[in-house]
Amino acid sequence: MKNIHIDLRSDTVTKPSPKMREAMFHAEVGDDVYSEDPTVNRLQERVAELLGKEESLFVPSGTMSNQVAIKTHTIPGQEVICEENCHIFNYEAGGPAFNSLVQLRTLRGKYGVLDVSEVEAAIRPDNVHVTPTALITLENTHNRAGGTIYPVEKMREIYALAYPKGIPMHLDGARLLNAVVATGIFAKEYSKYFDSVSICFSKGLGAPVGSVLAGSKEFINKARRYRKIFGGGMRQIGILAAACIYALDNNVERLAEDHKNASRLADGLRKLPGIYIDMAQVQTNMVMIHVRHPKFTPESLSRAILEKGLAALAIDSERIRAVTHLDISDEQIEEAIFIFQQVLKD
Ligand code: TLP
């Protein structure tokens, strides 16, 4: 690995701060498989309250959270509707097929947002030939769409369609708190349209590990069993939950700084030759950098900036993704713009 000086590959690269580590050091612990870890219980109560759900469950990762949710909502042979660029479809290693024996029905969204009429058309009729629709999943903020915010009224429309048909909804809210901070809309307001909601602490919130899945008491009871089957029943993990509680207390409001940094980065880069940035997409802590340069592809440009200590991921044949987070300062954003300038000039 090159010497990375500015790491914009993801907000997952954040490292626990000394104060977060101190909170972890002092955490009270117990055996969480027996539901006896007081710090985990405290975190779960707080997240359930934050999301307006009866209960919640600590899991090791966002992937496990989504996978446990899909397993809990479905039975083999069913279909899950999702947006074609969502994390569940693109980055969970085929988990829905592997773990739950379900197929995904992907729909194309705009900025990750689905049109309710397309969702309606995708819901299967009651017919022996077709795969029953068991679940609809949405993502907020939407990662591959560039950290875009899912408008709450669009969620409400899909809920109004799904609820009377008895189709549950799951929200991959890995970065839901980015949307909350950017819009001022309460987390509960987003999550009330969903039967289950997953949030992550290991992204912009800066914890080393941890996601929480929230839902009804009945849903969480069932999910707890699947978490155990998936190998996610852990023991004295109050030390991890303490990092998440610290993040809730200290690292939520400051997400606004990451959003400001992403805007600044986008604004600095969009003026460079061979670079296109859709500014409407820059809503939270990500910048999708379209490379339209005679000399560079996303891959070769990301290699060239890495030579100068700046890391960002080429995510497809058109784009580099840059993600701002709590380990990136204002000065580093200016430096990142400068590095792009230099490389594109050379
Ligand atoms: N996203 C990671 C990579 O997996 C792509 C990243 O660098 O952005 N939901 C969403 C929306 C996510 O962006 C991620 C992680 C997850 C779920 C999974 O979380 P983890 O990595 O904890 O399994």
Side-chain angles (χ1 to χ4, degrees):
M1 181 53 66
K2 288 266 171 213
N3 207 358
I4 298 176
H5 174 50
I6 306 171
D7 197 347
L8 301 177
R9 284 173 302 170
S10 182
D11 45 10
T12 60
V13 302
T14 50
K15 297 195 176 126
S17 64
K19 282 194 171 152
M20 181 179 273
R21 287 168 193 249
E22 205 179 305
M24 295 169 78
F25 181 81
H26 291 292
E28 244 190 290
V29 297
D31 190 328
D32 184 53
V33 171
Y34 297 134
S35 299
E36 283 173 6
D37 187 302
T39 313
V40 172
N41 291 341
R42 198 145 56 83
L43 172 68
Q44 291 176 164
E45 278 161 30
R46 256 186 91 170
V47 175
E49 161 64 28
L50 177 75
L51 298 175
K53 299 293 176 202
E54 280 175 354
E55 286 193 5
S56 83
L57 187 68
F58 186 77
V59 288
S61 68
T63 301
M64 190 184 286
S65 199
N66 286 331
Q67 293 302 317
V68 165
I70 292 169
K71 185 76 190 163
T72 309
H73 284 300
T74 64
I75 57 169
Q78 293 185 322
E79 187 165 81
V80 176
I81 293 176
C82 61
E83 201 278 331
E84 68 176 10
N85 279 304
C86 73
H87 194 275
I88 288 172
F89 179 56
N90 290 281
Y91 298 124
E92 300 193 6
F98 190 87
N99 297 314
S100 301
L101 300 171
V102 293
Q103 66 188 33
L104 298 181
R105 175 86 177 267
T106 58
L107 304 178
R108 177 161 302 178
K110 184 156 194 274
Y111 296 127
V113 177
L114 293 176
D115 192 298
V116 68
S117 61
E118 284 183 28
V119 178
E120 186 165 21
I123 292 174
R124 306 281 195 177
D126 183 13
N127 178 317
V128 71
H129 298 88
V130 302
T131 321
T133 307
L135 178 67
I136 298 169
T137 72
L138 304 179
E139 188 173 308
N140 191 18
T141 63
H142 194 294
N143 180 348
R144 263 180 82 83
T148 49
I149 296 164
Y150 213 107
V152 78
E153 61 281 4
K154 292 283 178 191
M155 293 175 157
R156 189 184 307 124
E157 281 175 13
I158 297 177
Y159 168 79
L161 170 74
Y163 183 74
K165 295 182 192 298
I167 301 171
M169 308 247 298
H170 170 69
L171 178 64
D172 176 353
R175 298 185 181 82
L176 180 64
L177 296 180
N178 289 80
V180 167
V181 168
T183 60
I185 295 172
F186 289 126
K188 272 183 197 174
E189 187 55 33
Y190 282 113
S191 57
K192 75 179 183 200
Y193 302 111
F194 296 88
D195 299 271
S196 57
V197 180
S198 165
I199 63 169
C200 287
F201 289 90
S202 61
K203 315 267 166 346
L205 296 182
V209 183
S211 291
V212 174
L213 178 64
S216 67
K217 190 173 165 52
E218 193 190 339
F219 173 85
I220 293 298
N221 269 341
K222 221 171 139 190
R224 189 185 305 281
R225 183 170 164 73
Y226 287 125
R227 180 185 70 171
K228 190 77 179 83
I229 293 173
F230 287 0
M234 300 179 289
R235 303 296 177 175
Q236 288 73 23
I237 49 166
I239 48 171
L240 301 179
C244 301
I245 292 172
Y246 179 90
L248 280 179
D249 289 337
N250 298 281
N251 291 349
V252 176
E253 295 311 320
R254 65 147 309 286
L255 290 171
E257 291 170 38
D258 302 341
H259 301 171
K260 189 174 73 45
N261 277 342
S263 283
R264 168 66 194 126
L265 180 65
D267 196 50
L269 296 182
R270 77 191 170 92
K271 298 164 191 147
L272 301 182
I275 295 295
Y276 169 74
I277 290 170
D278 177 357
M279 294 303 280
Q281 221 179 9
V282 186
Q283 301 176 8
T284 56
N285 69 329
M286 292 188 190
V287 182
M288 289 295 182
I289 306 160
H290 294 249
V291 182
R292 297 175 183 169
H293 195 279
K295 206 174 120 200
F296 288 108
T297 61
E299 195 55 54
S300 65
L301 183 55
S302 72
R303 269 199 308 273
I305 57 173
L306 189 57
E307 290 296 326
K308 296 186 184 294
L310 170 62
L313 287 179
I315 59 159
D316 55 33
S317 61
E318 292 172 14
R319 301 177 298 170
I320 291 178
R321 184 188 75 163
V323 187
T324 56
H325 51 76
L326 86 175
D327 289 340
I328 295 292
S329 65
D330 302 8
E331 293 73 35
Q332 285 176 310
I333 292 294
E334 298 308 322
E335 217 180 307
I337 296 168
F338 183 71
I339 291 173
F340 269 100
Q341 257 167 4
Q342 291 300 303
V343 167
L344 291 164
K345 198 176 70 186
D346 295 347

